[in-house]
Amino acid sequence: MKPLLSMLTGAAVALFGVHAAAAQEASDGIVVYNAQHESLAKEWAEGFTKETGIKVTLRNGKDSEFGNQIVAEGASSPADVFLTENSPAMALVEQAGLFAPVDAETLALVPETFRPESGKWTGIAARSTVFVYNKEKLPADQLPKSMLDLEKPEWKGRWGASPSGADFQAIVGALLQLKGEETTAAWLKGMKDNFTAYRGNGTVMKAVNAGEIDGGVIYHYYYFGDQAKTGENSNNVKLHYFKQQDPGAFVSISGGGVLASSKHPKEAQAFLKWIAGKGGQDILKNGTSYEYAVGVGAESNPKLVPLADLDAPAVNPSQLDSKKVTDLMTAAGLL
């Protein structure tokens, strides 16, 4: 019995040690549900920790997955902060009443254009919708003047997108808000007839580069990221910016918010403020994400077309209806 008792005692001590370590980790810093690019979030976390000494534990996933998970967890969520690539998942959590108000000092760091009126979360970065096209196959004078043109018969079999991704669904959300359900449903039906489905924006661009299709709807930074490396998936392509407040000129806001259930609200608010402030925005300018900086007076990477020149449509990020979008896309046979 003594050896057995000794083994059980040892196991209990070990188990206690595991729980104690977990509790200590939680008390030492904050937990971030991160749906942004892992490398970018890691730079943010490391920069914040270096400056403040506050530990940041990143749990990486996808926009919609984490949004739905936070809603399911409710007040029991272990997360202190939620970061996304696009804003529909932020709207989902906001509508569930699970965000704490963002500190006024943090909100003041971001122009009203890049955050919701509610003040429940804020923009931390942005990305522009673009039409990436093969410059050898598609002359500039034959480019679509509007994203809506892509439903027309002449575009059958000539373009692609990644309909299952949160990126493209955010673009459809903007179209829904700007043009209404009838126009959106008709466009999605035309899309189903005309386009080729790929998994991931990078795969869309690669297909355009290889000449499989003439063009595709993606976000801008995939091109700049590939050009900064080998250019092997982008050397044959160019970017077309629709501008003119077209739905295809939609600028998607990456969001950040503090959970109302956070056990470390002071530290969580400090992290969000750091990202929205000079430290976090300078990482956008000087790093390799090629996303737009959105802070007041912040500069983006000089290789990017300035935000002010994109002539993007005005979209309320808190009213991007992700459920309606997936319903419409499912009805059109896209999901």
Side-chain angles (χ1 to χ4, degrees), residues 72 102 114 122 126 131 134 168 230 256 264 306 320:
V102 175
F114 299 112
T122 185
F131 185 74
N134 187 298
F168 189 80
T230 64
H264 314 93
L320 289 173

Side-chain angles (χ1 to χ4, degrees), residues 149-193:
D149 291 343
L150 296 173
E151 70 166 308
K152 295 179 179 179
E154 57 263 35
W155 283 98
K156 187 174 181 63
R158 298 176 61 196
W159 71 283
S162 177
S164 63
D167 288 355
F168 189 80
Q169 290 174 23
I171 295 168
V172 177
L175 174 60
L176 176 62
Q177 188 180 131
L178 292 164
K179 298 296 184 180
E181 184 173 337
E182 184 177 347
T183 297
T184 302
W187 187 80
L188 291 172
K189 181 180 182 301
M191 172 182 171
K192 173 65 175 176
D193 293 338

Side-chain angles (χ1 to χ4, degrees), residues 39-183:
S39 57
L40 174 58
K42 184 180 179 183
E43 284 189 86
W44 278 339
E46 290 176 348
F48 173 73
T49 299
K50 182 178 180 180
E51 190 168 310
T52 66
I54 300 170
K55 181 180 178 182
V56 178
T57 299
L58 296 173
R59 297 186 182 177
N60 298 305
K62 301 293 186 181
D63 280 3
S64 57
E65 292 172 2
F66 269 144
N68 287 311
Q69 182 176 330
I70 290 170
V71 171
E73 291 171 342
S76 300
S77 179
D80 297 291
V81 175
F82 182 32
L83 304 180
T84 63
E85 291 188 353
N86 300 283
S87 49
M90 301 300 293
L92 178 68
V93 176
E94 178 185 355
Q95 289 160 12
L98 297 174
F99 279 134
V102 175
D103 285 351
E105 289 184 359
T106 302
L107 293 177
L109 295 171
V110 181
E112 293 181 359
T113 309
F114 299 112
R115 56 180 169 84
E117 294 179 1
S118 66
K120 292 293 186 178
W121 57 275
T122 185
I124 52 176
R127 58 274 300 280
S128 173
T129 309
V130 296
F131 185 74
V132 59
Y133 68 99
N134 187 298
K135 60 188 179 183
E136 302 298 329
K137 294 188 66 178
L138 187 59
D141 61 0
Q142 294 180 22
L143 288 167
K145 291 182 171 56
S146 167
M147 187 178 78
L148 297 179
D149 291 343
L150 296 173
E151 70 166 308
K152 295 179 179 179
E154 57 263 35
W155 283 98
K156 187 174 181 63
R158 298 176 61 196
W159 71 283
S162 177
S164 63
D167 288 355
F168 189 80
Q169 290 174 23
I171 295 168
V172 177
L175 174 60
L176 176 62
Q177 188 180 131
L178 292 164
K179 298 296 184 180
E181 184 173 337
E182 184 177 347
T183 297

Side-chain angles (χ1 to χ4, degrees), residues 191-214:
M191 172 182 171
K192 173 65 175 176
D193 293 338
N194 288 351
F195 95 126
T196 301
Y198 294 91
R199 190 168 185 84
N201 284 344
T203 308
V204 174
M205 184 176 71
K206 186 175 181 179
V208 174
N209 188 69
E212 293 177 19
I213 48 178
D214 291 356

Side-chain angles (χ1 to χ4, degrees), residues 274-328:
W274 192 89
I275 291 176
K278 180 174 172 52
Q281 299 298 291
D282 277 354
I283 285 173
L284 289 170
K285 176 186 176 183
N286 302 317
T288 57
S289 72
Y290 293 98
E291 295 186 57
Y292 283 99
V294 297
V296 173
E299 296 181 355
S300 298
N301 189 294
K303 293 182 179 179
L304 306 183
V305 175
L307 274 170
D309 294 346
L310 296 177
D311 196 16
V315 173
N316 186 331
S318 287
Q319 293 180 8
L320 289 173
D321 191 337
S322 57
K323 184 180 185 307
K324 188 63 177 178
V325 164
T326 55
D327 287 348
L328 288 170

